[in-house]
Amino acid sequence: MATIFNDHNISFKQKQSPVPEFAWHTSEKLANVVGAKHLIFDIRSLDPGKYSYPYHFHRNAEEIFVIMEGKAMLRTPKGIEELGTGDVVFFETGPEGAHQLFNHTEAPCKYLDLRTNNGLDVAEYPDSGKINILPYEELYQAEDRVDYYKDEDKTREKWEQLSGVKRTES
């Protein structure tokens, strides 16, 4: 069944981060309302002088912004440009899809944020070097990356300890 969302049936909650520059109003998770299986979507309103989420990209989710009302500046790896009512912007996965909005005007900027839902995603934040495992919101510093086999050189001993059987070298 089709579900229509508009100003008559959507209410917004203010989201304020501990960093004052990041504040916005958001609808409830509209994908949850309709039971969407492969999409996540919300309608957001970015106040004047505020930024959307920190500059980031996704490893396993494509994203689209549809500017419904107002204007905002968009930051991507290609630079900064102004978006206005009716603009639709696609963000691919990986570093080329990095993005952030800033409302440089005196009026709110309302936009639809639509993204794919493949269960697990990783968002990376180039400015701060963080990695976020979504939907769990587990954040780590990228500088802590290690080699795949780090500390795996004791596998034989671990197996011997657990099984009680000593293995011979081959």
Side-chain angles (χ1 to χ4, degrees):
M1 172 168 46
T3 303
I4 298 172
F5 296 106
N6 57 41
D7 288 339
H8 302 293
N9 63 2
I10 295 176
S11 59
F12 291 89
K13 296 181 280 187
Q14 171 135 18
K15 295 285 190 171
Q16 175 65 58
S17 78
V19 178
E21 290 83 7
F22 298 104
W24 61 94
H25 301 268
T26 187
S27 68
E28 59 188 305
K29 295 180 180 193
L30 301 178
N32 291 350
V33 172
V34 298
K37 294 176 181 64
H38 304 290
L39 295 174
I40 299 172
F41 58 99
D42 318 274
I43 296 175
R44 304 236 163 97
S45 182
L46 190 58
D47 287 336
K50 300 295 181 179
Y51 297 85
S52 63
Y53 291 94
Y55 185 64
H56 70 284
F57 62 89
H58 297 268
R59 289 285 182 184
N60 196 36
E62 296 172 323
E63 192 166 14
I64 291 176
F65 288 171
V66 179
I67 307 300
M68 300 169 62
E69 182 179 301
K71 294 181 180 181
M73 300 302 285
L74 171 67
R75 177 183 171 198
T76 68
K78 292 182 178 179
I80 296 175
E81 62 186 288
E82 186 177 64
L83 300 177
T85 302
D87 284 342
V88 177
V89 186
F90 170 74
F91 305 106
E92 61 195 272
T93 60
E96 302 81 17
H99 58 278
Q100 181 181 46
L101 291 177
F102 171 66
N103 185 344
H104 64 295
T105 73
E106 298 298 319
C109 175
K110 189 185 293 185
Y111 64 101
L112 171 68
D113 182 352
L114 172 69
R115 51 213 176 273
T116 55
N117 178 6
N118 296 310
L120 187 64
D121 187 19
V122 174
E124 294 190 38
Y125 303 85
D127 291 345
S128 59
K130 293 187 305 268
I131 296 173
N132 188 359
I133 300 173
L134 300 167
Y136 307 108
E137 293 195 20
E138 294 178 8
L139 284 103
Y140 303 93
Q141 287 297 142
E143 66 190 29
D144 293 334
R145 289 182 183 179
V146 297
D147 181 78
Y148 180 76
Y149 288 104
K150 181 183 184 311
D151 296 330
E152 299 294 342
D153 58 338
K154 304 283 189 252
T155 300
R156 181 179 307 277
E157 290 88 351
K158 185 58 130 178
W159 273 84
E160 289 173 357
Q161 177 189 18
L162 292 170
S163 69
V165 177
K166 182 153 178 78
R167 307 278 185 227
T168 58
E169 296 289 328
S170 21

Coordinates of all heavy atoms in Angstrom, one line a residue, residues 66-154:
V66 N 17.4 14.9 -1.5 CA 16.5 15.7 -2.4 C 16.1 16.9 -1.6 O 15.5 16.9 -0.5 CB 15.2 14.9 -2.7 CG1 14.2 15.7 -3.5 CG2 15.5 13.6 -3.3
I67 N 16.6 18.1 -2.1 CA 16.3 19.4 -1.5 C 14.9 19.7 -1.7 O 14.5 20.0 -2.9 CB 17.3 20.5 -2.0 CG1 18.7 20.0 -1.9 CG2 17.0 21.8 -1.2 CD1 19.2 19.7 -0.5
M68 N 14.1 19.7 -0.7 CA 12.6 20.0 -0.8 C 12.3 21.4 -0.6 O 11.3 21.9 -1.2 CB 11.9 19.1 0.3 CG 12.1 17.6 0.1 SD 11.5 16.7 1.6 CE 9.8 17.0 1.5
E69 N 13.1 22.1 0.1 CA 12.8 23.5 0.4 C 14.1 24.2 0.9 O 14.8 23.7 1.8 CB 11.7 23.6 1.5 CG 11.2 24.9 1.9 CD 10.1 24.7 3.0 OE1 9.1 24.0 2.7 OE2 10.3 25.2 4.1
G70 N 14.4 25.4 0.4 CA 15.5 26.1 0.9 C 16.8 25.9 0.1 O 16.8 25.3 -1.0
K71 N 17.9 26.3 0.7 CA 19.2 26.1 0.1 C 20.3 25.7 1.1 O 20.1 25.9 2.3 CB 19.7 27.5 -0.5 CG 18.9 28.0 -1.7 CD 19.5 29.3 -2.2 CE 18.6 29.8 -3.3 NZ 19.2 31.1 -3.9
A72 N 21.3 25.1 0.6 CA 22.5 24.7 1.5 C 23.7 24.6 0.6 O 23.6 24.4 -0.6 CB 22.2 23.4 2.2
M73 N 24.8 24.7 1.2 CA 26.1 24.4 0.5 C 26.5 22.9 0.8 O 26.3 22.4 1.8 CB 27.2 25.3 1.1 CG 26.9 26.8 1.0 SD 26.7 27.3 -0.7 CE 28.3 27.3 -1.3
L74 N 26.9 22.3 -0.3 CA 27.3 20.9 -0.3 C 28.8 20.8 -0.4 O 29.4 21.3 -1.4 CB 26.6 20.1 -1.5 CG 27.1 18.7 -1.7 CD1 26.7 17.8 -0.5 CD2 26.6 18.2 -3.0
R75 N 29.4 20.1 0.5 CA 30.9 19.8 0.4 C 31.0 18.3 -0.1 O 30.4 17.4 0.5 CB 31.5 19.9 1.8 CG 33.0 19.6 1.8 CD 33.6 19.7 3.1 NE 34.9 19.1 3.2 CZ 35.5 18.7 4.3 NH1 35.0 18.9 5.4 NH2 36.8 18.2 4.2
T76 N 31.8 18.1 -1.1 CA 32.2 16.8 -1.6 C 33.7 16.9 -1.9 O 34.3 17.9 -1.8 CB 31.4 16.5 -2.9 OG1 31.9 17.3 -4.0 CG2 29.9 16.6 -2.7
P77 N 34.3 15.7 -2.3 CA 35.7 15.8 -2.7 C 36.0 16.7 -3.8 O 37.2 17.1 -4.0 CB 36.0 14.3 -3.1 CG 35.0 13.5 -2.3 CD 33.8 14.4 -2.3
K78 N 35.0 17.1 -4.6 CA 35.2 18.0 -5.8 C 35.2 19.4 -5.3 O 35.5 20.3 -6.1 CB 34.2 17.7 -6.9 CG 34.4 16.4 -7.5 CD 33.4 16.2 -8.6 CE 33.6 14.9 -9.4 NZ 32.6 14.7 -10.4
G79 N 34.8 19.7 -4.1 CA 34.7 21.1 -3.7 C 33.3 21.4 -3.0 O 32.7 20.5 -2.5
I80 N 33.0 22.7 -3.1 CA 31.7 23.2 -2.4 C 30.9 23.8 -3.5 O 31.4 24.6 -4.3 CB 32.1 24.2 -1.3 CG1 32.9 23.5 -0.2 CG2 30.8 24.8 -0.8 CD1 33.3 24.4 0.9
E81 N 29.6 23.5 -3.4 CA 28.6 24.1 -4.4 C 27.3 24.3 -3.7 O 27.0 23.6 -2.7 CB 28.5 23.4 -5.7 CG 28.0 22.0 -5.5 CD 28.0 21.2 -6.8 OE1 27.2 21.5 -7.7 OE2 28.8 20.3 -7.0
E82 N 26.5 25.2 -4.2 CA 25.2 25.5 -3.6 C 24.1 24.6 -4.2 O 24.1 24.3 -5.4 CB 24.8 27.0 -3.9 CG 23.5 27.4 -3.2 CD 23.1 28.8 -3.3 OE1 22.9 29.2 -4.5 OE2 23.1 29.6 -2.3
L83 N 23.3 24.1 -3.3 CA 22.1 23.3 -3.7 C 20.8 24.1 -3.4 O 20.8 24.9 -2.4 CB 22.0 22.0 -2.9 CG 23.2 21.0 -3.0 CD1 23.0 19.8 -2.1 CD2 23.4 20.6 -4.5
G84 N 19.8 23.9 -4.2 CA 18.5 24.6 -4.0 C 17.3 23.7 -4.2 O 17.5 22.5 -4.6
T85 N 16.2 24.2 -3.9 CA 14.9 23.4 -4.0 C 14.9 22.7 -5.3 O 15.1 23.3 -6.4 CB 13.7 24.4 -3.9 OG1 13.8 25.1 -2.6 CG2 12.4 23.6 -4.0
G86 N 14.6 21.4 -5.2 CA 14.4 20.6 -6.4 C 15.7 19.8 -6.8 O 15.6 18.9 -7.6
D87 N 16.8 20.2 -6.2 CA 18.1 19.5 -6.5 C 18.1 18.1 -5.9 O 17.6 17.9 -4.8 CB 19.3 20.2 -6.0 CG 19.7 21.4 -6.9 OD1 19.2 21.5 -8.0 OD2 20.4 22.3 -6.4
V88 N 18.6 17.1 -6.7 CA 18.7 15.7 -6.3 C 20.2 15.4 -6.4 O 20.8 15.6 -7.4 CB 17.9 14.8 -7.1 CG1 18.1 13.3 -6.7 CG2 16.4 15.1 -7.1
V89 N 20.8 14.9 -5.3 CA 22.2 14.6 -5.3 C 22.4 13.1 -4.9 O 21.9 12.7 -3.9 CB 23.0 15.5 -4.3 CG1 24.5 15.3 -4.4 CG2 22.6 16.9 -4.5
F90 N 23.2 12.4 -5.7 CA 23.5 11.0 -5.5 C 24.9 10.9 -4.9 O 25.8 11.5 -5.4 CB 23.4 10.2 -6.8 CG 23.9 8.8 -6.6 CD1 23.2 7.8 -5.9 CD2 25.1 8.4 -7.2 CE1 23.7 6.5 -5.8 CE2 25.6 7.1 -7.0 CZ 24.9 6.2 -6.4
F91 N 25.1 10.1 -3.8 CA 26.4 9.9 -3.2 C 26.7 8.4 -3.4 O 26.0 7.5 -2.8 CB 26.4 10.3 -1.8 CG 26.0 11.7 -1.5 CD1 24.7 12.0 -1.0 CD2 26.8 12.7 -1.9 CE1 24.4 13.3 -0.8 CE2 26.4 14.1 -1.7 CZ 25.2 14.3 -1.1
E92 N 27.8 8.1 -4.1 CA 28.2 6.7 -4.3 C 28.9 6.2 -3.0 O 29.3 7.0 -2.2 CB 29.1 6.6 -5.5 CG 30.4 7.4 -5.4 CD 31.1 7.6 -6.7 OE1 31.9 6.8 -7.0 OE2 30.8 8.6 -7.4
T93 N 29.2 4.9 -3.0 CA 29.9 4.4 -1.9 C 31.4 4.7 -2.0 O 31.8 4.9 -3.2 CB 29.7 2.8 -1.8 OG1 30.2 2.3 -3.0 CG2 28.3 2.4 -1.5
G94 N 32.1 4.7 -1.0 CA 33.6 5.0 -1.0 C 33.9 6.5 -0.9 O 33.0 7.3 -0.8
P95 N 35.2 6.8 -0.8 CA 35.7 8.2 -0.6 C 35.1 9.2 -1.6 O 34.9 10.3 -1.3 CB 37.2 8.0 -0.8 CG 37.5 6.6 -0.4 CD 36.3 5.8 -0.9
E96 N 34.8 8.7 -2.9 CA 34.3 9.7 -3.9 C 32.9 10.1 -3.5 O 32.4 11.2 -4.0 CB 34.2 9.0 -5.2 CG 35.5 8.5 -5.7 CD 36.0 7.1 -5.2 OE1 35.1 6.4 -4.6 OE2 37.2 6.8 -5.2
G97 N 32.2 9.4 -2.6 CA 30.8 9.8 -2.2 C 30.8 10.6 -0.9 O 29.7 10.8 -0.3
A98 N 31.9 11.1 -0.4 CA 32.0 11.9 0.8 C 31.1 13.1 0.7 O 31.1 13.8 -0.4 CB 33.4 12.2 1.2
H99 N 30.4 13.5 1.8 CA 29.5 14.7 1.7 C 29.2 15.3 3.1 O 29.4 14.6 4.1 CB 28.2 14.3 1.0 CG 27.5 13.2 1.7 ND1 27.9 11.8 1.5 CD2 26.5 13.2 2.6 CE1 27.1 11.1 2.3 NE2 26.3 11.8 3.0
Q100 N 28.8 16.5 3.0 CA 28.3 17.3 4.2 C 27.6 18.5 3.7 O 28.0 19.1 2.7 CB 29.5 17.7 5.0 CG 29.2 18.5 6.3 CD 30.4 18.9 7.1 OE1 31.4 19.4 6.5 NE2 30.4 18.7 8.4
L101 N 26.5 18.9 4.4 CA 25.8 20.1 4.1 C 26.0 21.2 5.1 O 26.3 20.9 6.3 CB 24.3 19.8 4.1 CG 23.7 18.9 3.0 CD1 22.2 18.7 3.2 CD2 24.0 19.5 1.6
F102 N 26.0 22.4 4.7 CA 26.0 23.6 5.6 C 24.9 24.5 5.1 O 24.8 24.9 3.9 CB 27.4 24.3 5.5 CG 27.4 25.6 6.2 CD1 27.2 25.6 7.6 CD2 27.5 26.8 5.6 CE1 27.2 26.9 8.3 CE2 27.5 28.0 6.2 CZ 27.4 28.0 7.6
N103 N 24.1 24.9 6.0 CA 23.0 25.9 5.7 C 23.6 27.3 5.9 O 23.7 27.8 7.0 CB 21.8 25.7 6.6 CG 20.6 26.6 6.1 OD1 20.8 27.6 5.4 ND2 19.4 26.3 6.6
H104 N 23.9 28.0 4.8 CA 24.5 29.3 4.8 C 23.5 30.4 4.7 O 23.8 31.6 4.6 CB 25.5 29.4 3.6 CG 24.7 29.3 2.2 ND1 24.1 28.1 1.9 CD2 24.6 30.2 1.3 CE1 23.6 28.3 0.7 NE2 23.8 29.5 0.3
T105 N 22.2 30.1 4.7 CA 21.1 31.1 4.5 C 20.5 31.4 5.9 O 20.9 30.9 6.9 CB 20.0 30.5 3.6 OG1 19.3 29.5 4.3 CG2 20.6 29.9 2.3
E106 N 19.5 32.2 5.8 CA 18.7 32.7 7.0 C 17.4 31.8 7.2 O 16.7 32.1 8.1 CB 18.3 34.2 6.9 CG 19.6 35.1 6.8 CD 20.4 35.0 8.0 OE1 19.9 35.0 9.2 OE2 21.7 35.0 7.9
A107 N 17.2 30.9 6.3 CA 16.0 30.0 6.4 C 16.4 28.6 6.5 O 17.4 28.2 6.0 CB 15.1 30.3 5.1
P108 N 15.5 27.7 7.0 CA 15.8 26.3 7.1 C 15.9 25.7 5.7 O 15.3 26.2 4.8 CB 14.6 25.7 7.8 CG 14.0 26.9 8.6 CD 14.2 28.1 7.7
C109 N 16.6 24.6 5.6 CA 16.8 23.8 4.4 C 16.2 22.4 4.7 O 16.7 21.7 5.5 CB 18.2 23.7 3.9 SG 18.4 22.6 2.5
K110 N 15.1 22.1 4.1 CA 14.4 20.8 4.3 C 14.8 19.9 3.2 O 14.8 20.2 2.0 CB 12.9 21.0 4.3 CG 12.2 19.7 4.8 CD 10.7 19.8 4.7 CE 10.1 20.8 5.7 NZ 8.7 20.9 5.6
Y111 N 15.2 18.6 3.5 CA 15.7 17.7 2.5 C 15.3 16.3 2.9 O 15.2 15.9 4.1 CB 17.2 17.8 2.2 CG 18.1 17.5 3.3 CD1 18.7 16.2 3.4 CD2 18.4 18.4 4.3 CE1 19.6 15.9 4.4 CE2 19.2 18.1 5.4 CZ 19.8 16.8 5.4 OH 20.7 16.5 6.5
L112 N 15.1 15.4 1.9 CA 14.9 14.0 2.0 C 16.2 13.3 2.0 O 17.0 13.6 1.1 CB 14.0 13.5 0.9 CG 13.9 11.9 0.8 CD1 13.1 11.4 2.0 CD2 13.2 11.5 -0.5
D113 N 16.5 12.5 3.0 CA 17.8 11.7 3.1 C 17.4 10.3 2.9 O 16.7 9.7 3.7 CB 18.4 12.0 4.4 CG 19.8 11.2 4.5 OD1 20.1 10.4 3.7 OD2 20.5 11.4 5.6
L114 N 17.8 9.7 1.7 CA 17.4 8.4 1.3 C 18.6 7.6 1.1 O 19.5 8.0 0.4 CB 16.6 8.4 0.0 CG 16.2 7.2 -0.7 CD1 15.2 6.4 0.1 CD2 15.7 7.5 -2.1
R115 N 18.7 6.4 1.7 CA 19.9 5.5 1.6 C 19.5 4.1 1.5 O 18.5 3.7 2.1 CB 20.9 5.8 2.6 CG 20.4 5.8 4.0 CD 21.2 6.8 4.9 NE 20.6 6.9 6.2 CZ 19.6 7.6 6.6 NH1 19.0 8.4 5.8 NH2 19.1 7.5 7.8
T116 N 20.4 3.3 0.9 CA 20.2 1.8 0.9 C 20.5 1.2 2.2 O 21.3 1.7 3.0 CB 21.0 1.2 -0.2 OG1 22.4 1.5 0.0 CG2 20.6 1.6 -1.6
N117 N 19.8 0.1 2.5 CA 20.0 -0.6 3.7 C 20.4 -2.0 3.4 O 19.6 -2.9 3.0 CB 18.7 -0.6 4.6 CG 18.9 -1.4 5.9 OD1 20.0 -1.8 6.2 ND2 17.8 -1.6 6.6
N118 N 21.7 -2.3 3.5 CA 22.2 -3.7 3.3 C 22.6 -4.4 4.6 O 23.4 -5.3 4.6 CB 23.4 -3.6 2.4 CG 23.1 -3.1 1.0 OD1 22.1 -3.5 0.4 ND2 23.8 -2.1 0.5
G119 N 22.0 -3.9 5.7 CA 22.2 -4.5 7.0 C 23.4 -3.9 7.8 O 23.2 -3.4 8.8
L120 N 24.5 -4.0 7.2 CA 25.7 -3.5 7.9 C 26.4 -2.5 7.0 O 26.6 -2.7 5.8 CB 26.7 -4.6 8.2 CG 27.8 -4.3 9.1 CD1 27.4 -3.9 10.5 CD2 28.7 -5.5 9.3
D121 N 26.8 -1.3 7.6 CA 27.5 -0.3 6.8 C 28.7 0.2 7.7 O 28.7 0.0 8.9 CB 26.6 0.8 6.5 CG 27.2 1.9 5.6 OD1 28.2 1.6 4.9 OD2 26.6 3.0 5.6
V122 N 29.7 0.8 7.0 CA 30.8 1.4 7.7 C 30.9 2.8 7.1 O 30.9 3.0 5.9 CB 32.1 0.7 7.4 CG1 33.3 1.5 8.0 CG2 32.1 -0.7 8.0
A123 N 30.8 3.8 8.0 CA 30.9 5.2 7.6 C 32.3 5.7 8.0 O 32.8 5.3 9.1 CB 29.9 6.1 8.3
E124 N 33.0 6.4 7.2 CA 34.3 6.9 7.5 C 34.3 8.4 7.4 O 33.6 9.0 6.6 CB 35.4 6.4 6.5 CG 35.6 4.9 6.7 CD 36.7 4.3 5.9 OE1 37.8 5.0 5.8 OE2 36.6 3.2 5.3
Y125 N 35.1 9.0 8.3 CA 35.1 10.5 8.5 C 36.5 11.0 8.2 O 37.3 11.0 9.1 CB 34.6 10.8 10.0 CG 33.3 10.3 10.3 CD1 33.1 9.0 10.7 CD2 32.1 11.0 10.1 CE1 31.9 8.4 11.0 CE2 30.9 10.5 10.4 CZ 30.8 9.2 10.8 OH 29.5 8.7 11.1
P126 N 36.7 11.5 7.0 CA 38.1 11.9 6.6 C 38.7 13.0 7.5 O 39.9 13.0 7.7 CB 37.9 12.4 5.2 CG 36.7 11.7 4.7 CD 35.8 11.5 5.9
D127 N 37.8 14.0 8.0 CA 38.4 15.1 8.7 C 38.9 14.6 10.1 O 39.9 15.2 10.6 CB 37.3 16.1 8.9 CG 36.9 16.9 7.7 OD1 37.7 16.8 6.7 OD2 35.9 17.6 7.7
S128 N 38.3 13.7 10.7 CA 38.7 13.3 12.1 C 39.3 11.9 12.1 O 39.7 11.5 13.2 CB 37.4 13.3 13.0 OG 36.4 12.4 12.5
G129 N 39.3 11.2 11.0 CA 40.0 9.8 11.0 C 39.2 8.8 11.8 O 39.8 7.8 12.2
K130 N 37.9 8.9 11.9 CA 37.1 7.9 12.6 C 36.4 6.9 11.6 O 36.2 7.2 10.4 CB 36.0 8.6 13.4 CG 36.4 9.5 14.5 CD 35.3 9.9 15.4 CE 34.2 10.7 14.6 NZ 34.3 12.1 14.5
I131 N 36.1 5.8 12.1 CA 35.4 4.7 11.4 C 34.2 4.4 12.3 O 34.3 4.2 13.5 CB 36.2 3.5 11.2 CG1 37.4 3.8 10.3 CG2 35.4 2.3 10.6 CD1 38.4 2.7 10.1
N132 N 33.0 4.3 11.7 CA 31.7 4.1 12.5 C 31.1 2.8 11.9 O 30.8 2.8 10.7 CB 30.8 5.3 12.3 CG 29.6 5.2 13.2 OD1 29.4 4.2 13.9 ND2 28.8 6.2 13.1
I133 N 30.9 1.8 12.7 CA 30.2 0.6 12.3 C 28.7 0.8 12.5 O 28.3 0.9 13.7 CB 30.7 -0.6 13.0 CG1 32.2 -0.8 12.7 CG2 30.0 -1.9 12.6 CD1 32.9 -1.9 13.5
L134 N 27.9 0.8 11.4 CA 26.5 1.1 11.5 C 25.7 -0.2 11.3 O 26.2 -1.0 10.5 CB 26.1 2.1 10.5 CG 26.8 3.5 10.6 CD1 26.6 4.3 9.4 CD2 26.3 4.2 11.9
P135 N 24.6 -0.5 11.9 CA 23.8 0.5 12.7 C 24.2 0.5 14.2 O 23.5 1.2 15.0 CB 22.4 -0.1 12.6 CG 22.6 -1.6 12.5 CD 23.9 -1.7 11.7
Y136 N 25.3 -0.1 14.6 CA 25.7 -0.2 16.0 C 26.3 1.1 16.6 O 26.4 1.2 17.8 CB 26.6 -1.4 16.2 CG 26.1 -2.6 15.7 CD1 26.6 -3.2 14.5 CD2 25.0 -3.3 16.2 CE1 26.1 -4.4 14.0 CE2 24.4 -4.4 15.7 CZ 25.0 -5.0 14.6 OH 24.5 -6.1 14.0
E137 N 26.7 2.0 15.7 CA 27.4 3.2 16.1 C 28.5 2.9 17.0 O 28.7 3.5 18.1 CB 26.4 4.2 16.7 CG 25.4 4.7 15.7 CD 24.6 5.9 16.1 OE1 25.1 6.7 17.0 OE2 23.6 6.2 15.5
E138 N 29.4 2.0 16.6 CA 30.7 1.7 17.3 C 31.7 2.5 16.5 O 32.0 2.2 15.3 CB 31.0 0.2 17.2 CG 30.0 -0.6 18.0 CD 30.3 -2.1 17.9 OE1 31.4 -2.5 17.4 OE2 29.5 -2.9 18.4
L139 N 32.4 3.5 17.2 CA 33.4 4.3 16.5 C 34.8 4.0 17.0 O 35.0 3.8 18.1 CB 33.0 5.8 16.8 CG 31.9 6.3 16.0 CD1 30.6 6.4 16.8 CD2 32.2 7.6 15.3
Y140 N 35.7 4.0 16.0 CA 37.1 3.8 16.2 C 37.9 4.8 15.4 O 37.5 5.3 14.4 CB 37.4 2.3 15.7 CG 36.6 1.3 16.4 CD1 35.4 0.8 15.9 CD2 37.0 0.8 17.7 CE1 34.6 -0.1 16.5 CE2 36.2 -0.2 18.3 CZ 35.0 -0.6 17.7 OH 34.3 -1.5 18.3
Q141 N 39.1 5.0 15.8 CA 40.1 5.8 15.1 C 40.7 5.0 14.0 O 41.2 3.9 14.3 CB 41.2 6.4 16.0 CG 40.7 7.5 16.9 CD 40.2 8.7 16.2 OE1 39.3 9.3 16.6 NE2 40.8 9.1 15.1
A142 N 40.7 5.4 12.8 CA 41.3 4.7 11.7 C 42.8 4.5 11.8 O 43.3 3.5 11.4 CB 41.0 5.5 10.4
E143 N 43.5 5.4 12.6 CA 44.9 5.2 12.8 C 45.3 3.9 13.6 O 46.4 3.5 13.6 CB 45.5 6.4 13.5 CG 45.0 6.6 14.9 CD 45.3 7.9 15.5 OE1 45.5 8.9 14.8 OE2 45.5 8.0 16.7
D144 N 44.2 3.3 14.2 CA 44.5 2.1 14.9 C 44.4 0.9 14.1 O 44.5 -0.3 14.6 CB 43.4 2.0 16.1 CG 43.6 3.0 17.1 OD1 44.8 3.5 17.3 OD2 42.6 3.4 17.8
R145 N 44.3 1.0 12.8 CA 44.3 -0.1 11.9 C 45.5 -1.0 12.0 O 46.6 -0.4 12.2 CB 44.2 0.3 10.4 CG 42.8 0.9 10.1 CD 42.7 1.3 8.6 NE 41.4 1.9 8.4 CZ 41.1 2.4 7.2 NH1 41.8 2.3 6.2 NH2 39.9 2.9 7.1
V146 N 45.4 -2.3 11.9 CA 46.5 -3.2 12.1 C 46.5 -4.2 10.9 O 45.5 -4.3 10.2 CB 46.4 -3.9 13.5 CG1 46.5 -3.0 14.6 CG2 45.2 -4.8 13.6
D147 N 47.6 -4.9 10.8 CA 47.7 -6.0 9.8 C 46.7 -7.1 10.1 O 46.5 -7.4 11.3 CB 49.2 -6.5 9.8 CG 49.4 -7.6 8.8 OD1 49.5 -7.3 7.6 OD2 49.3 -8.8 9.2
Y148 N 46.2 -7.7 9.1 CA 45.2 -8.8 9.3 C 45.7 -9.9 10.2 O 45.0 -10.4 11.0 CB 44.8 -9.3 7.9 CG 43.8 -10.4 7.9 CD1 42.5 -10.1 8.1 CD2 44.2 -11.7 7.7 CE1 41.5 -11.1 8.1 CE2 43.3 -12.8 7.7 CZ 41.9 -12.5 7.9 OH 41.0 -13.5 7.9
Y149 N 47.0 -10.2 10.1 CA 47.5 -11.4 10.9 C 48.2 -10.9 12.2 O 48.8 -11.8 12.8 CB 48.5 -12.2 10.0 CG 47.8 -13.0 8.9 CD1 47.8 -12.5 7.6 CD2 47.1 -14.1 9.3 CE1 47.1 -13.2 6.6 CE2 46.4 -14.8 8.3 CZ 46.4 -14.4 7.0 OH 45.8 -15.1 6.0
K150 N 48.0 -9.7 12.6 CA 48.6 -9.2 13.8 C 48.1 -10.1 15.0 O 47.0 -10.4 15.1 CB 48.3 -7.8 14.1 CG 48.9 -7.2 15.4 CD 48.4 -5.8 15.6 CE 49.0 -5.2 16.8 NZ 49.0 -5.9 18.0
D151 N 49.1 -10.6 15.8 CA 48.8 -11.4 17.0 C 48.1 -12.7 16.7 O 47.5 -13.3 17.5 CB 48.0 -10.6 18.0 CG 48.8 -9.4 18.5 OD1 50.0 -9.4 18.6 OD2 48.1 -8.4 18.9
E152 N 48.3 -13.2 15.5 CA 47.7 -14.5 15.1 C 48.8 -15.6 15.0 O 48.5 -16.7 14.6 CB 47.0 -14.4 13.7 CG 45.8 -13.4 13.7 CD 44.7 -13.8 14.6 OE1 44.6 -15.0 15.0 OE2 43.9 -12.9 14.9
D153 N 50.0 -15.3 15.4 CA 51.1 -16.3 15.3 C 51.1 -17.3 16.4 O 51.9 -18.2 16.4 CB 52.4 -15.5 15.3 CG 52.6 -14.7 16.6 OD1 51.6 -14.3 17.2 OD2 53.8 -14.4 16.9
K154 N 50.1 -17.3 17.3 CA 50.0 -18.3 18.4 C 48.8 -19.3 18.2 O 48.4 -19.9 19.1 CB 49.9 -17.6 19.7 CG 51.0 -16.6 20.0 CD 52.2 -17.3 20.5 CE 53.2 -16.3 21.0 NZ 54.4 -16.1 20.2

